[in-house]
Amino acid sequence: MSSKKLVIKVTAGADAPERCSQAFTVAAVAVASGVEVSLWLTGESSWFALPGRAAEFELPHAAPLPDLIEGILAGGGVITVCTQCAARRGIEEKDLIEGARIAGAQVFVSEVMADGVQALVY
C-alpha cells in the first residue's frame, strides 16, 4: 500500500476525449494499485459527475468511463467537481452521482500542497 496520494485534475471532457480518458484511466489504475486518489473534474469533464453522463462518453480502445468511475469510487477514491465549473453548468451537489462532491480552489490547493502528494493535470 502506498503512503503517497495522487491528485489528478482533468480539464477536458468529450471535447478532448483522449486526454479525458487518460485521466480517468490513471486514477482507476492508481486506486486499484492501493494509491489514495483524489480526482478533480473541471471544465467539460464536470458533466461526468452526473448520473448517466459518463455512459454517453465513447472512445475506441478505451475502458468505459462508467467502469472507471465505479472503480475509483469503490476503491476509496474521491471525485470532486470544481465549484465554479459546476456553477457555470448549473450543476448542484444534489445532482451528482453518489460519492462525488463539489469543492473549490482552496480545497484543491490544500490537497496538492500536503506532504507526500503527487499532482497530475490532464
Side-chain angles (χ1 to χ4, degrees), residues 21-103:
S21 178
Q22 288 169 2
F24 280 91
T25 300
V26 169
V29 168
V31 166
S33 301
V35 177
E36 184 182 349
V37 172
S38 177
L39 177 64
W40 283 74
L41 308 183
T42 67
E44 288 300 294
S45 70
S46 302
W47 294 115
F48 299 131
L50 298 178
R53 292 300 287 267
E56 298 170 8
F57 180 87
E58 290 185 9
L59 182 64
H61 309 290
L65 218 50
D67 294 352
L68 296 173
I69 291 170
E70 184 179 324
I72 292 163
L73 293 172
V78 176
I79 295 179
T80 305
V81 178
C82 152
T83 301
Q84 292 180 4
C85 300
R88 281 189 283 273
R89 289 161 179 80
I91 298 171
E92 298 178 24
E93 195 97 33
K94 66 177 176 55
D95 303 324
L96 302 180
I97 58 175
E98 189 176 337
R101 65 177 181 163
I102 294 174

Side-chain angles (χ1 to χ4, degrees), residues 98-114:
E98 189 176 337
R101 65 177 181 163
I102 294 174
Q106 183 178 357
V107 175
F108 179 78
V109 170
S110 70
E111 284 190 16
V112 299
M113 294 307 295

